[in-house]
Amino acid sequence: MPQQPVRAVDPTPHPGGAATTRASAEPPLLASRLTPPAAPEPMLLRPRLLARLDDGAAGILTVVRAPAGWGKTTLLTAAAQAAEPTGDPVAWVQVEAGDSGQRLWAYLTRAVLGALRAEPDDLPPVPTGGPWRPDGLEPLAAALAARERPVRLVLDDLHRMTDPDVLGGLEFLLRHADGRLRLVAAGRTGLPPALHRLRLAGEPTEIGPDDLAFTIDEVADLLVAHGVPLPSAAVARLRERTGGWPAGLRFAALAARGQADPQRWVRRFGGDHPDVAAYLRAEVLTPLPGPAREVLRRCAVGGAVRADLADALTGRADAGQLLAGLARDGGFLHRDDSDPPWYRPHPMLADLLREELAGLDGRERGELHRRAADWHADHDRPADALHHALTAGQWDRATELLLAHWPELVPYEQEPPPLPPPPPPPAEAVRRDPELALAAGTERAYAGDVAAATARLRDAVRAARTLPAPRRDRFRRLAVALELTLARLSGDPTTVRDAAARLLATDSTTPAGSALPAEDVVTGADPVTGDDPRTGGDDADVRAVAGTALGLTDLAEGRLGRAGTLFRAALAAARRVGRPRTELVGASRAALLLALAGELSPAEETARAALAMPPCQGWSGRVDCGYAHLALALVAVLRDQRTEATAELAAAGAVTGTTLAGAVAALCRAALLRDAGEPAAAMAVVLRARDELTTCGTGELADRLLALEADLRGEQGDVDTARRLLGERAHGPDPVPVLALALARVELRAGDLRAARHALPDWDAPGAVGWPLSVRLAAGVLDALLTRRAGDERRAGRLLERVLDLAGRHGHRRIFTRAEAEVRELLAAHLDSGTAYWPQVSDLVRDVAPPPGQGAYGTRRGPADPRRDGPERPLDEPLTERELTILRYLQSILSNVEIASELSLSVNTVKTHVRNIYRKLDATRRREAVRRARDLHLL
């Protein structure tokens, strides 16, 4: 849209009305404040946000809230442009600082009346001078209410609107326009108090900084639009550095144009870039009160702060309150959901704050680091305490922290702290105390700086030659622990196992020259005496650290069973000596592996215990906690709890982007998509996960993904491809149980009962006890089904009873509710023949999913329910398959836009289906439609 000229317009609201604002008393109204501004060039359309605005237009209030530079005005301008071809009237008002109530209300009435003229009406005069009065606004409200199509009123920079009279009048107009006035308000803060009562009329649509942040794909599109396309790794790096902040990305794109090597330049781009720093100072820091700005600057000494840490750093008693106020609107200061909460500045603001912190006197900076070291040490955060002690030059303190907390200083899969590296200790200090160099190397390894950590390790080894004999053993243990860390960071499994064995050799309970593998030393009792050699103290620390490292290595190689054993042993050792962070790593991974083994109850218990641990708070624990959430997601899938599974997958966050955890997430997502009637989308998820799972070879997760792909292909009738995928490993001399089960299901769908029976693995054999329980149960259900098909109803009932016994211990439901269509008949017949699990079977009969092609049911009650009486009453018009799919999504918290994205449909298509669903179910709201659908057993 071209730049609108700044010109005066007639202040009279309507030709037929008597203007109460005289030109001699008030300056004329400016057209530039009544039209959208010119969009930045190049303009990048963001359909997902335009769809959110379009979706929000169904209600009377949409709020776009974010600090400076987050693209609020750009988004509203794009939405106004998109509305032009449709003829939907848009009234635009740019709020300016210092606007009087009378002046601002003149703009508001002029904008609304200007939009109403799009369809000429006989409007009565509306007074605009003086304080608003209800009787003065009633004509305008009545005129709006009489319209067939609503008017969209856009208020840009709402935070500048402070006059209570104007806000009160606006609230009155919105309430009495009968839904024909839709307010879209953009500002740097939330709703003013006068507008909060509008929430009572319906939940407003809110678009905040997290929504406005550019996704990786949008960053790539923006760079291409600016003529600086970058490789995907550089795009991801820029997205991480800017946090998706639109203004920062545009600064980066403009600056990258003149760089000889834009990819290399992006790695150095940050908040200290002159243009970015100037913008942040002018728009973010300068408007802040002095105390708030000083708190931000002093708290920049650490990556994240808590209220009591902020008080300790600043010497104030209200630092926490100031941080809470700054984080309320998000964008540049983030707050997590732990209790008490942690605060972290936006990456680019953090760069600028650290630059300002560097301007402090050296002694003052050192004092800040000493205070931070004290606080972190007192709150069981040794890694942060070590960093600050080294930065402050507290050499003795750094060595003490290493000696007391070395098991908690091992990096696992957390993100490195975004802090500048401390200076290396002076050579003289290292000569006096070689363990100081180990402390510095451990700190660098924790931050992921392998080169610096290796250099510090070499310094330590050279200086340790003069150590007296009593200290050599302790030094050797600490040095080997650092070597193990560096081996893990290098990703070499052989080196990890060698270093773990050498670390275990420092354990006083390990026999000298022991030939046992390191895994057996960690997990097993003495093979001769049967005694458990694991004790407390330093030896338990050694086993906890070595066991965790070996468990992570086995997990990366897809050896799930052995990894689970190692994690449980390491977890027990960590608990004995009180190492909470090592315990969290073991608990979170053990929970996931228990869930993969089908042990749902202990998996849930272990995962929830992990999430309750103190280290599972703040950003430093989000990767470890992500594994616990992923475990709960898998538990929910196997219990056929779709809503819970979707929520836990979302909570798992970034961990699902890693290879192994991503494979588990793919199993969950594919199952949910399959349940929703989207087999093609489920197949795409599985294929992508199989492609990414290259490091695991034929590990257990790879086998599960292969089995799921074959099952999906067999379900779609592609039997030959399914058989070819499963190959000899499904029916050879030693078949893989999950693949053999998949082959049996494929043969059953092909109608070859004999081949299905031949392929079915023996789930009752002694060796089957070691299978994943979900595989064993599914094989048992299929065995019962095939037995019933063969005419042996009594034996089928006995088999089913045993499966129900095994399943009931952990709440497995999916093996019944999402199995072959005949399973419902099998369960219903079992009710008639008698069962010790009557309530469980009765619920399963009710909840078994409909067979493909019968998703609409066509009845008011759905399938026969043995606990209900009365005839089935058909729907006037059955739901289509697509409508049933969308109906299932309506149970979730997903918006129409998100549902459209999940199903690869347009938002308007989804809205049309939703309206049809409401009509057929005689419902007016989502919750009512879901409740009625459940009553009718459509869900």
Side-chain angles (χ1 to χ4, degrees):
M1 176 178 293
Q3 176 68 51
Q4 297 291 337
V6 178
R7 62 182 185 273
V9 298
D10 184 354
T12 305
H14 189 271
T20 59
T21 304
R22 300 185 179 277
S24 59
E26 289 284 344
L29 303 183
L30 300 177
S32 58
R33 293 184 58 183
L34 294 168
T35 54
E41 293 294 340
M43 177 69 171
L44 181 68
L45 290 178
R46 305 169 74 189
R48 64 181 180 88
L49 293 178
L50 294 175
R52 284 286 302 276
L53 285 176
D54 183 55
D55 201 37
I60 65 171
L61 180 59
T62 301
V63 180
V64 184
R65 172 191 53 79
W70 284 90
K72 303 181 295 297
T73 301
T74 301
L75 173 61
L76 296 183
T77 299
Q81 290 179 356
E84 285 180 358
T86 66
D88 291 334
V90 176
W92 183 287
V93 175
Q94 171 66 53
V95 183
E96 295 292 346
D99 275 342
S100 66
Q102 179 174 328
R103 180 75 172 164
L104 191 51
W105 194 248
Y107 273 106
L108 286 170
T109 25
R110 180 67 181 85
V112 172
L113 293 179
L116 289 176
R117 287 197 188 101
E119 295 180 10
D121 291 312
D122 184 15
L123 297 178
V126 179
T128 61
W132 78 276
R133 302 185 311 278
D135 58 339
L137 292 180
E138 284 180 353
L140 183 55
L144 286 166
R147 288 178 52 83
E148 181 179 348
R149 301 174 68 181
V151 171
R152 184 182 300 185
L153 171 61
V154 178
L155 292 181
D156 197 15
D157 286 333
L158 179 69
H159 59 278
R160 295 173 174 170
M161 185 183 290
T162 56
D163 192 303
D165 283 340
V166 177
L167 292 168
L170 186 60
E171 188 268 341
F172 176 89
L173 202 58
L174 286 166
R175 282 194 296 115
H176 293 283
D178 197 21
R180 299 303 191 274
L181 181 63
R182 309 290 171 80
L183 175 62
V184 181
R188 297 186 180 184
T189 59
L191 285 176
L195 296 181
H196 272 295
R197 73 186 73 179
L198 292 174
R199 291 181 180 274
L200 300 176
E203 188 67 22
T205 297
E206 296 194 22
I207 300 176
D210 291 343
D211 305 299
L212 294 168
F214 273 58
T215 65
I216 289 180
D217 289 340
E218 290 170 342
V219 173
D221 292 341
L222 181 69
L223 292 172
V224 169
H226 278 81
V228 282
L230 295 176
S232 57
V235 172
R237 167 69 175 168
L238 184 59
R239 169 62 175 79
E240 180 185 5
R241 289 294 298 129
T242 61
W245 178 40
L249 286 166
R250 287 195 177 272
F251 281 130
L254 291 170
R257 286 177 175 174
Q259 302 296 322
D261 187 354
Q263 183 177 352
R264 183 179 179 184
W265 177 83
V266 160
R267 291 197 294 268
R268 301 194 304 269
F269 180 75
D272 53 356
H273 184 277
D275 291 338
V276 176
Y279 186 91
L280 289 173
R281 284 195 177 98
E283 297 292 338
V284 178
L285 293 182
T286 299
L288 293 178
R293 180 170 179 170
E294 187 64 16
V295 166
L296 279 179
R297 184 174 65 171
R298 290 180 176 273
C299 288
V301 73
V305 294
R306 221 169 65 180
D308 48 352
L309 172 57
D311 289 343
L313 290 172
T314 62
R316 303 177 63 95
D318 62 346
Q321 296 174 8
L322 291 172
L323 288 172
L326 293 171
R328 189 170 297 119
D329 295 310
F332 288 111
L333 188 65
H334 303 284
R335 167 180 171 157
D336 75 354
D337 57 359
S338 58
D339 184 21
W342 285 81
Y343 300 92
R344 181 179 65 177
H346 183 279
M348 306 203 84
L349 179 61
D351 290 342
L352 178 60
L353 291 172
R354 280 194 289 269
E355 186 179 79
E356 292 202 351
L357 185 66
L360 294 178
D361 178 79
R363 286 178 296 180
E364 192 174 358
R365 289 199 310 274
E367 177 60 25
L368 285 174
H369 283 290
R370 283 189 288 275
R371 291 182 185 184
D374 290 342
W375 187 92
H376 285 293
D378 292 342
H379 289 80
D380 296 322
R381 300 178 67 87
D384 296 297
L386 177 60
H387 170 84
H388 290 292
L390 287 167
T391 305
Q394 294 181 300
W395 311 130
D396 292 342
R397 180 74 176 278
T399 302
E400 291 169 2
L401 287 166
L402 175 68
L403 297 179
H405 301 285
W406 68 267
E408 296 289 88
L409 298 174
V410 176
Y412 294 111
E413 294 189 50
Q414 71 171 31
E415 297 178 352
L419 298 173
E428 181 58 33
V430 172
R431 282 194 294 271
R432 286 196 308 268
D433 182 7
E435 288 164 337
L436 171 61
L438 288 181
T442 299
E443 188 277 336
R444 284 294 80 205
Y446 193 91
D449 188 348
V450 175
T454 303
R456 300 291 83 75
L457 176 60
R458 291 197 188 104
D459 294 342
V461 172
R462 281 195 298 268
R465 294 168 185 164
T466 60
L467 279 177
R471 289 182 57 187
R472 289 177 187 168
D473 289 342
R474 185 178 73 182
F475 178 89
R476 178 171 175 267
R477 172 175 290 182
L478 296 172
V480 173
L482 180 53
E483 290 176 4
L484 175 58
T485 293
L486 294 173
R488 277 206 59 253
L489 292 175
S490 70
D492 182 358
T494 302
T495 307
V496 170
R497 291 192 173 95
D498 176 66
R502 288 189 287 114
L503 180 59
L504 287 166
T506 68
D507 183 344
S508 62
T509 63
T510 301
S514 173
L516 288 175
E519 291 84 353
D520 294 340
V521 175
V522 172
T523 62
D526 187 285
V528 178
T529 65
D531 295 333
D532 186 349
R534 292 169 293 180
T535 60
D538 291 341
D539 295 332
D541 277 334
V542 165
R543 293 173 184 272
V545 171
T548 302
L550 291 169
L552 290 170
T553 301
D554 280 344
L555 182 61
E557 294 181 326
R559 302 178 183 183
L560 306 186
R562 195 166 74 172
T565 302
L566 285 163
F567 281 127
R568 289 191 291 275
L571 172 60
R575 281 176 176 166
R576 281 199 298 275
V577 286
R579 301 298 188 186
R581 187 171 164 275
T582 310
E583 184 181 349
L584 171 61
V585 176
S588 58
R589 275 60 167 194
L592 180 59
L593 293 167
L594 284 167
L596 284 166
E599 304 289 333
L600 306 189
S601 297
E604 181 180 22
E605 180 182 352
T606 306
R608 297 202 184 282
L611 293 173
M613 293 178 186
C616 203
Q617 295 182 7
W619 287 276
S620 63
R622 65 177 183 173
V623 172
D624 294 325
C625 297
Y627 282 92
H629 283 295
L630 188 56
L632 293 175
L634 184 56
V635 168
V637 167
L638 295 175
R639 288 176 174 169
D640 202 16
Q641 299 168 329
R642 177 181 176 84
T643 302
E644 291 83 348
T646 302
E648 293 295 348
L649 275 175
V655 73
T656 60
T658 62
T659 303
L660 269 296
V664 179
L667 289 170
C668 296
R669 290 194 179 105
L672 296 175
L673 287 167
R674 186 184 193 180
D675 297 347
E678 297 295 328
M683 180 70 76
V685 169
V686 172
L687 292 176
R688 185 164 56 249
R690 286 195 64 203
D691 287 342
E692 293 173 356
L693 203 63
T694 55
T695 60
C696 293
T698 56
E700 294 174 49
L701 277 177
D703 287 340
R704 294 196 192 196
L705 288 167
L706 176 61
L708 182 52
E709 180 185 346
D711 203 26
L712 286 166
R713 293 189 184 279
E715 190 177 75
Q716 299 304 307
D718 191 1
V719 174
D720 291 338
T721 302
R723 288 174 178 146
R724 187 167 59 254
L725 280 171
L726 296 170
E728 289 297 321
R729 297 181 65 230
H731 53 69
D734 188 18
V736 178
V738 69
L739 300 181
L741 173 63
L743 180 60
R745 293 177 66 120
V746 168
E747 299 294 358
L748 178 63
R749 290 196 176 97
D752 192 339
L753 300 187
R754 183 175 179 181
R757 169 61 69 185
H758 178 72
L760 185 67
D762 187 359
W763 66 282
D764 205 22
V769 175
W771 298 0
L773 184 56
S774 55
V775 174
R776 192 179 178 198
L777 292 172
V781 171
L782 193 55
D783 190 7
L785 187 61
L786 291 171
T787 301
R788 184 172 183 265
R789 284 239 192 144
D792 193 345
E793 296 271 359
R794 180 170 297 181
R795 183 171 180 273
R798 291 198 301 269
L799 291 171
L800 186 58
E801 192 77 353
R802 294 182 60 191
V803 173
L804 288 166
D805 178 58
L806 287 173
R809 299 173 190 175
H810 297 286
H812 279 269
R813 291 171 54 82
R814 185 178 185 81
I815 46 118
F816 301 106
T817 56
R818 303 292 174 178
E820 285 71 15
E822 294 177 58
V823 168
R824 185 181 178 281
E825 299 175 16
L826 179 66
L827 290 167
H830 197 55
L831 278 177
D832 295 336
S833 62
T835 173
Y837 304 96
W838 199 96
Q840 177 185 350
V841 177
S842 179
D843 287 340
L844 290 172
V845 168
R846 181 195 63 200
D847 294 338
V848 167
Q854 299 179 23
Y857 282 62
T859 64
R860 288 287 187 182
R861 287 195 180 274
D865 187 334
R867 301 179 302 170
R868 294 177 180 264
D869 298 321
E872 295 177 345
R873 185 163 57 90
L875 286 171
D876 297 331
E877 184 180 356
L879 297 178
T880 65
E881 283 296 320
R882 177 64 78 182
E883 288 167 356
L884 185 71
T885 297
I886 292 175
L887 175 62
R888 293 186 182 121
Y889 275 96
L890 293 183
Q891 301 176 94
S892 70
I893 60 174
L894 299 179
S895 67
N896 286 347
V897 176
E898 291 166 327
I899 294 173
S901 176
E902 288 277 329
L903 299 177
S904 299
L905 300 173
S906 71
V907 178
N908 288 335
T909 299
V910 170
K911 289 180 178 179
T912 300
H913 285 307
V914 169
R915 285 195 295 268
N916 289 339
I917 290 169
Y918 287 1
R919 175 177 55 80
K920 293 178 181 182
L921 295 177
D922 193 24
T924 57
R925 295 178 181 273
R926 174 186 277 209
R927 185 176 299 175
E928 183 182 7
V930 169
R931 179 177 56 78
R932 293 193 178 186
R934 285 174 176 162
D935 290 342
L936 301 174
H937 296 274
L938 297 177
L939 295 172

